Amino acid sequence: EAGVAQSPRYKIIEKRQSVAFWCNPISGHATLYWYQQILGQGPKLLIQFQNNGVVDDSQLPKDRFSAERLKGVDSTLKIQPAKLEDSAVYLCASSLDSRYEQYFGPGTRLTVT
Amino acid sequence: DQQVKQNSPSLSVQEGRISILNCDYTNSMFDYFLWYKKYPAEGPTFLISISSIKDKNEDGRFTVFLNKSAKHLSLHIVPSQPGDSAVYFCAARDGNKLVFGAGTILRVKS
């Protein structure tokens, strides 16, 4: 069974630029999550999708972050414009349903200079 | 407001000995607790979990203990192996959401 795929693995941008991350969840997983992990901290949930609907985006900085999950499969997370404090690893995870264990992708390490 | 705390940033243990990783929480509404393990450049992988109605769950070398009155859980690894060296995250479920601790780096020396 293929795991959660993410791309790119690494990205370096300057502040005020835009960036997008892509996630392909495990086949058949209805729930998809985006987390932000800042160095020295645990993952923090940014947004949770159930199929193609948003379940929780209470911690998503909506003035600069956006996410979509078209057709309930792949998802894209965008930051526009980026700030220095957005430097972090962005993790995508999926689960069969919200009550089941989450499977994480390898993450995208973003550095904003 | 850190609802899940892992107060030990790192732990070093000799191969063959017991590793004990600790986690404290503040929210009494958490109903499920999980431990994830993370190697460098990889995403966290699920290790073991426990429901809030239990006080112990065991899976091979890994045992998780839950003390609800103290709002404390711990992960025991016996015997510890060099391949167990990783970052361990404690997580707690609040409704549909997982809240993670900051992690503990475990180093198992051979």
Side-chain angles (χ1 to χ4, degrees):
Chain A
E1 180 183 78
V4 176
Q6 288 188 249
S7 67
R9 292 295 311 275
Y10 304 92
K11 190 75 176 178
I12 300 174
I13 61 172
E14 295 181 352
K15 59 184 178 184
R16 291 186 289 274
Q17 285 187 322
S18 303
V19 66
F21 312 128
W22 173 82
C23 173
N24 181 237
I26 293 173
S27 177
H29 280 195
T31 313
L32 185 147
Y33 313 80
W34 282 102
Y35 287 88
Q36 179 192 58
Q37 186 182 5
I38 292 172
L39 188 64
Q41 299 180 20
K44 183 185 85 171
L45 180 68
L46 292 175
I47 189 167
Q48 177 182 340
F49 292 94
Q50 182 72 19
N51 296 309
N52 60 351
V54 175
V55 173
D56 185 345
D57 63 357
S58 58
Q59 298 189 96
L60 187 74
K62 298 180 188 64
D63 58 333
R64 298 183 301 105
F65 286 64
S66 64
E68 59 182 9
R69 190 183 185 195
L70 299 175
K71 300 179 182 178
V73 182
D74 292 7
S75 178
T76 303
L77 176 70
K78 296 179 182 177
I79 307 175
Q80 181 180 12
K83 293 185 176 181
L84 295 176
E85 59 261 36
D86 298 332
S87 294
V89 175
Y90 290 84
L91 294 162
C92 179
S94 70
S95 61
L96 275 172
D97 196 78
S98 60
R99 303 295 285 180
Y100 292 84
E101 284 82 27
Q102 298 179 23
Y103 294 83
F104 285 82
T108 296
R109 180 175 295 277
L110 174 67
T111 302
V112 182
T113 62
Chain B
D1 176 28
Q2 276 189 292
Q3 297 187 69
V4 178
K5 292 183 183 179
Q6 294 178 255
N7 292 316
S8 298
S10 64
L11 174 68
S12 188
V13 170
Q14 197 68 35
E15 180 180 7
R17 300 289 192 118
I18 184 171
S19 296
I20 300 176
L21 297 100
N22 294 302
C23 179
D24 296 295
Y25 62 96
T26 57
N27 187 345
S28 57
M29 298 302 291
F30 290 145
D31 66 345
Y32 201 71
F33 301 89
L34 306 90
W35 284 93
Y36 280 82
K37 175 179 177 180
K38 185 182 182 305
Y39 292 118
E42 296 182 12
T45 55
F46 170 73
L47 189 58
I48 191 169
S49 62
I50 187 168
S51 165
S52 61
I53 62 173
K54 295 189 174 183
D55 55 17
K56 178 181 174 181
N57 187 28
E58 196 170 352
D59 183 3
R61 297 186 296 114
F62 303 92
T63 303
V64 56
F65 295 92
L66 176 62
N67 182 334
K68 283 188 67 177
S69 61
K71 294 190 175 70
H72 177 83
L73 67 156
S74 61
L75 174 67
H76 293 211
I77 306 173
V78 182
S80 301
Q81 299 174 354
D84 296 329
S85 297
V87 180
Y88 288 79
F89 291 101
C90 168
R93 190 170 69 189
D94 178 11
N96 292 324
K97 186 166 66 177
L98 287 184
V99 180
F100 284 83
T104 296
I105 300 170
L106 173 65
R107 295 188 186 91
V108 180
K109 298 175 289 186
S110 56

